[in-house]
């Protein structure tokens, strides 16, 4: 989209402000950062036209003509992910690929009410890749894009929470989203909703914070941990989910620990054996280790590890 096109679609919000402000939210960046980022959900009605990013035609192109393999697609029905073997097949004569998408089987699942999930679109669809690159730079966090294609009156997943923030962009069709507050705030990647099924189910039975039918151009920002479920309405729904893989203080602590232990490995005193016949190191040894630990911590730099994790 050109700058002039963006300006015409969003009067008063120039493209130079970045894709976050110009295309995803109808408030300024500072207010979003202070009131919503990592804190609460934000629903924006009519944020813009996303046909330049993705479409139903893009779905057909990816499934029927791109030769996608299984890591780039999931199929879900009634809250469960279907086995990959149920929608993949060998690639044909002369090919050694055994897990290429079988579009006939795939559409059969879809006709039966299954949701198709096209994963990692930032690697397979150029317009999404460009958008994700810009958004990631603005947010300071890695971003992944998935597309969800759901048949009418169906939903792929039960009430759950994600372990990353998301922006949901309704592309075509309509979908009813029901949002509840977290039962577990700021979950890390190894703290999934399945560890708290009963709490999630109980909270989902209560009064929602947001209950809206999304139309094309609507956007939802949802911090990690917020409960959600969505059902397509009277036609096929296509939406993009931009998953923000949040950098956290815990991640900094993890990389500090790695840098610290790497430094201590190079210290001959730390590698030395404890005295013979001693199964309790004693207070003196423990305090000596603490002193070396503290000294190494002062020199430890977590940034190289964080940089690798964000690539």
């Amino acid at each position: 989209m050109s700058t002039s096109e963006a300006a015409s679609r969003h009067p008063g919000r120039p493209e130079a402000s970045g894709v976050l402000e110009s295309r995803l939210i109808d408030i300024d960046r500072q207010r979003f950062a202070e009131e919503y980022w990592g804190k609460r959900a934000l629903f924006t009605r009519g944020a813009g036209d996303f046909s330049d990013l993705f479409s139903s035609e893009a779905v057909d192109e990816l499934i029927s003509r791109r030769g996608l393999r299984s890591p780039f697609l999931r199929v879900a029905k009634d809250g469960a992910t279907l086995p990959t073997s149920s929608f993949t097949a060998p690639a044909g004569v002369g090919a050694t690929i055994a897990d290429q998408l079988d579009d006939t089987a795939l559409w059969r699942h879809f006709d039966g009410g299954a949701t198709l999930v096209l994963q990692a679109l930032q690697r397979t669809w150029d317009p999404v890749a460009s958008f994700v690159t810009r958004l990631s730079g603005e947010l300071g966090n890695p971003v992944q894009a998935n597309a969800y294609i759901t048949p009418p009156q169906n939903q792929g997943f039960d009430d759950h929470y994600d372990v990353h923030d998301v922006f949901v962009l309704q592309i075509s069709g309509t979908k009813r989203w029901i949002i509840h507050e977290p039962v577990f705030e700021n979950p890390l990647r190894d703290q999934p909703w399945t560890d708290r099924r009963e709490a999630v189910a109980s909270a989902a039975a209560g009064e929602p914070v947001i209950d809206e039918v999304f139309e094309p151009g609507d956007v939802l920002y949802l911090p990690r941990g917020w409960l959600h479920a969505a059902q397509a309405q009277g036609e096929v729904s296509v939406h993009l989910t931009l998953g923000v893989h949040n950098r956290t203080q815990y991640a900094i602590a993890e990389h500090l620990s790695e840098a610290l232990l790497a430094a201590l490995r190079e210290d001959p005193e730390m590698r030395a054996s404890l005295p013979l016949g001693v199964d309790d190191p004693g207070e003196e040894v423990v305090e000596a280790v603490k002193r070396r630990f503290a000294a190494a911590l002062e020199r430890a730099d977590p940034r190289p590890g964080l940089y690798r994790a964000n690539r």
Side-chain angles (χ1 to χ4, degrees), residues 77-100:
K77 184 178 181 182
D78 300 328
T81 300
L82 303 185
T84 301
S85 59
S86 70
F87 57 85
T88 57
V93 176
T96 59
I97 299 172
D99 61 350
Q100 189 167 310

Side-chain angles (χ1 to χ4, degrees), residues 232-252:
Q233 300 299 287
E235 55 189 316
V236 174
S237 166
V238 178
H239 79 261
L240 280 178
T241 291
L242 308 179
V244 183
H245 293 268
N246 310 77
R247 298 169 64 183
T248 65
Q249 293 185 61
Y250 184 83
I252 294 174

Side-chain angles (χ1 to χ4, degrees), residues 89-155:
V93 176
T96 59
I97 299 172
D99 61 350
Q100 189 167 310
L101 300 187
D102 180 341
D103 55 337
T104 300
L106 205 57
W107 292 123
R108 188 181 300 119
H109 282 306
F110 184 77
D111 289 341
T115 290
L116 311 183
V117 186
L118 290 164
Q119 302 192 125
L121 286 174
Q122 76 278 5
R123 297 185 179 275
T124 60
W125 196 250
D126 286 344
V128 172
S130 298
F131 189 86
V132 161
T133 297
R134 294 187 62 184
L135 182 61
S136 177
E138 292 175 28
L139 299 179
N141 291 267
V143 177
Q144 176 183 341
N146 295 343
Y148 293 77
I149 303 94
T150 305
Q153 306 301 325
N154 282 275
Q155 68 180 56

Side-chain angles (χ1 to χ4, degrees), residues 36 40-45 159 175-181 204 206-214 218-223 226-230:
Y36 292 94
R40 58 192 178 112
L42 174 64
F43 173 62
T44 303
R45 177 73 75 184
D159 292 276
K175 203 166 197 178
R176 182 187 179 192
W177 283 76
I178 299 178
I179 312 298
H180 291 84
E181 291 186 346
E207 189 71 19
V209 175
I210 294 174
D211 184 348
E212 294 280 355
V213 174
F214 286 27
D218 292 347
V219 175
L220 172 70
Y221 165 70
L222 207 59
W226 281 65
L227 310 184
H228 55 281

Side-chain angles (χ1 to χ4, degrees), residues 241-294:
T241 291
L242 308 179
V244 183
H245 293 268
N246 310 77
R247 298 169 64 183
T248 65
Q249 293 185 61
Y250 184 83
I252 294 174
E254 283 187 312
H255 293 293
L256 267 175
S257 299
E258 292 175 3
L260 168 63
L261 292 174
L264 292 177
R265 284 170 60 90
E266 302 306 313
D267 184 341
E269 291 296 325
M270 292 296 295
R271 299 198 306 268
S273 301
L274 294 177
L276 180 66
V278 174
D279 57 4
D280 181 348
E283 190 66 23
E284 183 178 346
V285 172
V286 171
E287 289 302 318
V289 170
K290 286 182 178 179
R291 287 192 296 272
R292 290 180 180 274
F293 197 96

